[in-house]
Amino acid sequence: MPKTRPPALPPLSESPAFQALQSHAAELGQVSLRTLFAEDPKRFEQHSLRLGDLLVDTSKHLVTARTLELLAELARERGLESLRDAMFAGERINLTEDRAVGHFALRHPGPGPVVVDGRDVHGDVRQVLEQFLAFAEDVRAGRRRGHGGQTFTDVVNIGIGGSDLGPAMAVMALAPYTVGAPKVHFVSNVDGSHLWETLRGLDPVRTLFLVASKTFTTQETLANARSARAWLVAALGEGAVGDHFAALSTNERAVVAFGIRADNMFAFWDWVGGRYSLWSSIGLSIAIAVGAQNFRALLAGAHSMDRHFAETPLERNLPARLALLGFWYIHFHGAESAAILPYDQNLSRFAAHFQQVDMESNGKGVQRDGRPVNGPTGPILWGEPGTNGQHAFYQLLHQGTRMVPCEFLAAVEPSHPLGEHHPLLLSNFLAQTQALAFGKTEAEARRELDDAGLRGAALEALVPHKVFPGNRPSTSLFYRRLDPHTLGQLIALFEHKVFCQGALWNVNSFDQWGVELGKALANRILPVLRGEGDLGGLDASTRGLVEHFRSLSTAGG
Ligand code: G6Q
């Protein structure tokens, strides 16, 4: 299977569609959302998209129908559609690692063929899926037991990055579907506190460990896995390891060398990128938490978004719409960051997961053909669930000096109906999008203060503080309820959004060379911390820090 050749794209500034967008942006100028809504009574209908029960309202954006046309033109000019088609054809679009990008194949229900890298992978994918779902069901039903014959009450997933964030996010998102299942914990950080605090209170007899590592060489994961193994062996003896450890990996040799039985290992493939791997056996923790049927529904939801992405014209295409709007603010409004704000407590880790997916995929300064990019690329992505964020950082969103485009997520039906809680939550979600978009003018602020009885200098002194500039764009994603199918749709939607933006900037969204240098340097510093190495090779700052460590540390001193 040949690699997809990197296109020789001109710099954005020389692209005709980009230039047309520049003129258009100048014409639009400082147009306000108040004006855009006043001029077009059908704006909501025209600017919102749907897929099943999922409504995506993009009307509160500083764009017109013409802006969207020009953005779609730009996407075509940058080859977004052909790159998308190449991904779905299983081509090696991850050029620097010479790999196909096949996470879509993991959620394809069949019938096959589903071709990745020139091979029909459908049979292999289904076989491993059935194996790990059967394992999950056995654990849940108590058919698979620990060394002493007891059922598992706790499952600890040990992994980091893509082998942690996606599954941890999904297990939390689907918490209402986990009733009666073993409790699933996630340990990722090499900071011993993470494992220690997790294991404190767990019973080794009833604890199952899943070591999730595509490469099975990751320093943090192996350190945690070794310590977990020692904890288990101290309580139950060496013979217990086989019954209490499973591995999710592509590296069978290393798994077996660690002492995990080959029949407790669930494989996947090098064409599954770490941050796109929750659909593979890396999702075993999710399957144990929610059961096989719900895991299948998660896959089905994602597949429905794959089909939408693959088949819908760019003008009505959800991932493309989100990507193009994000691009518009980065290039034409100087936006440097973007926020994901779920009004859905169970999506508390959604922003953290997409922080990795987005920033590791598109935080690049070099194009696919090796030339530097000559403009901004991926945004700084962040977010916390509402309404907590309102009492923390929304001040900056409303009245600060930066534009932060926001993506709100909310469910029509609550996961837990509890008195008035859900209407309260939703009224806050809707109010925030309104306040961001339409703000409060000086005249309105003055009138309000006047109504409150303030007059003269006291009133004038407060007016500027009470003004909300508005024109702060947001997308609202409003779905029926956060069930597995919907979660699958949402995750795939944001994955493909990142893909589209990568295509616009012509960066390889599927490698992550930027994480390598720190790893290599840590390996060089480790012996120095142990007191084995020579300080001479270190820069003055790092040397000073190491000396401070040595002077205070009981181990080093
Ligand atoms: C994700 C990255 C990275 C990776 C971790 C864990 O796309 O590749 O976050 O998932 O470094 O790697 P292993 O699964 O190999 O331990």
Side-chain angles (χ1 to χ4, degrees):
M1 168 69 37
K3 287 190 210 180
T4 303
R5 281 154 61 103
L9 288 175
L12 272 174
S13 55
E14 287 170 25
S15 132
F18 190 82
Q19 288 169 353
L21 276 162
Q22 282 176 315
S23 321
H24 171 74
E27 274 163 35
L28 263 186
Q30 297 297 315
V31 70
S32 81
L33 281 167
R34 288 187 185 223
T35 307
L36 290 174
F37 273 87
E39 281 174 353
D40 181 3
K42 291 216 170 319
R43 186 172 169 85
F44 167 74
E45 287 77 8
Q46 276 164 5
H47 286 257
S48 48
L49 301 172
R50 288 169 200 268
L51 181 63
D53 286 331
L54 172 64
L55 166 68
V56 180
D57 173 20
T58 64
S59 61
K60 291 191 184 94
H61 279 283
L62 293 163
V63 296
T64 62
R66 179 70 187 141
T67 323
L68 295 178
E69 265 171 40
L70 290 172
L71 284 166
E73 228 165 86
L74 176 78
R76 292 205 169 89
E77 202 186 284
R78 304 297 285 176
L80 190 155
E81 288 162 313
S82 52
L83 189 66
R84 173 195 65 187
D85 297 346
M87 174 174 75
F88 284 117
E91 291 178 27
R92 290 189 197 171
I93 61 167
N94 176 356
L95 300 171
T96 59
E97 296 180 322
D98 196 15
R99 285 177 183 164
V101 171
H103 49 281
F104 69 89
L106 302 169
R107 46 218 197 191
H108 198 299
V114 182
V115 175
V116 176
D117 204 13
R119 272 192 62 234
D120 179 7
V121 300
H122 189 58
D124 289 354
V125 165
R126 299 314 285 187
Q127 192 192 354
V128 177
L129 175 69
E130 295 309 328
Q131 279 167 356
F132 79 78
L133 291 185
F135 182 91
E137 284 301 326
D138 285 349
V139 172
R140 287 165 60 83
R143 289 186 292 272
R144 183 170 285 268
R145 296 173 176 229
H147 195 54
Q150 301 220 47
T151 56
F152 293 116
T153 52
D154 294 88
V155 174
V156 181
N157 185 86
I158 297 177
I160 196 165
S163 300
D164 167 73
L165 286 160
M169 175 274 288
V171 168
M172 180 176 275
L174 299 177
Y177 297 82
T178 64
V179 179
K183 186 158 174 40
V184 178
H185 312 260
F186 290 88
V187 172
S188 50
N189 200 331
V190 75
D191 182 335
S193 301
H194 202 176
L195 184 68
W196 175 269
E197 295 296 345
T198 305
L199 296 186
R200 197 155 56 101
L202 296 194
D203 178 358
V205 172
R206 312 198 65 179
T207 300
L208 172 68
F209 292 98
L210 309 177
V211 186
S213 179
K214 179 174 170 179
T215 56
F216 225 80
T217 58
T218 304
Q219 184 203 58
E220 295 94 326
T221 299
L222 292 185
N224 277 322
R226 277 193 293 267
S227 298
R229 192 183 195 283
W231 176 82
L232 186 91
V233 168
L236 306 181
E238 195 66 40
V241 173
D243 291 327
H244 288 256
F245 273 83
L248 323 166
S249 187
T250 57
N251 186 352
E252 184 172 338
R253 212 147 40 121
V255 167
V256 171
F258 182 86
I260 297 177
R261 292 199 313 252
D263 64 320
N264 271 0
M265 171 184 155
F266 301 97
F268 58 111
W269 304 272
D270 71 352
W271 41 262
V272 181
R275 53 196 175 273
Y276 301 92
S277 65
L278 70 93
W279 320 100
S280 70
S281 59
I282 290 288
L284 177 58
S285 53
I286 309 171
I288 292 176
V290 303
Q293 199 183 340
N294 286 320
F295 192 84
R296 289 183 208 279
L298 181 79
L299 297 180
H303 178 68
S304 73
M305 187 58 71
D306 290 339
R307 293 197 56 162
H308 167 89
F309 179 46
E311 295 165 7
T312 311
L314 294 179
E315 287 75 5
R316 311 285 309 159
N317 192 302
L318 284 166
R321 172 72 60 91
L322 297 192
L324 289 167
L325 288 169
F327 179 93
W328 169 249
Y329 295 112
I330 289 170
H331 286 272
F332 298 101
H333 289 270
E336 294 203 319
S337 86
I340 295 184
L341 306 169
Y343 277 64
D344 197 325
Q345 181 63 21
N346 292 332
L347 287 180
S348 291
R349 297 293 288 162
F350 197 77
H353 173 59
F354 280 100
Q355 193 168 58
Q356 182 195 23
V357 173
D358 200 320
M359 294 171 73
E360 201 162 80
S361 297
N362 290 340
K364 313 270 162 76
V366 170
Q367 297 184 64
R368 290 197 291 146
D369 60 8
R371 289 173 306 157
V373 293
N374 63 349
T377 55
I380 301 158
L381 199 79
W382 55 284
E384 284 289 328
T387 57
N388 296 8
Q390 291 172 213
H391 298 264
F393 53 80
Y394 276 40
Q395 166 64 43
L396 182 147
L397 299 183
H398 286 292
Q399 290 187 313
T401 53
R402 296 162 213 276
M403 173 190 275
V404 184
C406 300
E407 284 162 331
F408 288 83
L409 295 103
V412 170
E413 293 174 10
S415 297
H416 298 286
L418 192 64
E420 271 288 280
H421 285 245
H422 203 59
L424 285 172
L425 177 71
L426 293 187
S427 61
N428 274 283
F429 145 55
L430 296 169
Q432 291 300 325
T433 70
Q434 241 183 347
L436 287 166
F438 306 114
K440 189 191 287 178
T441 63
E442 196 178 313
E444 287 165 350
R446 183 168 277 120
R447 201 164 45 241
E448 236 178 60
L449 290 170
D450 189 72
D451 288 349
L454 241 70
R455 299 285 182 274
L459 181 148
E460 291 308 324
L462 264 186
V463 166
H465 300 279
K466 296 280 191 173
V467 170
F468 285 66
N471 288 333
R472 305 198 166 199
S474 69
T475 300
S476 295
L477 297 111
F478 209 9
Y479 38 88
R480 181 190 290 275
R481 62 180 301 144
L482 191 60
D483 56 23
H485 189 273
T486 302
L487 180 69
Q489 278 189 330
L490 291 172
I491 300 171
L493 168 57
F494 281 83
E495 285 179 352
H496 293 320
K497 171 195 171 184
V498 170
F499 175 94
C500 292
Q501 291 193 332
L504 296 170
W505 290 309
N506 195 29
V507 298
N508 179 6
S509 301
F510 298 99
D511 60 14
Q512 54 283 318
W513 301 106
V515 302
E516 297 298 328
L517 178 60
K519 282 191 207 172
L521 293 179
N523 283 335
R524 272 186 246 160
I525 291 173
L526 185 60
V528 180
L529 286 181
R530 286 182 182 138
E532 293 160 6
D534 168 24
L535 292 188
L538 295 177
D539 63 90
S541 163
T542 312
R543 189 170 59 237
L545 292 165
V546 170
E547 278 165 355
H548 185 67
F549 167 80
R550 286 186 173 176
S551 72
L552 296 188
S553 146
T554 41

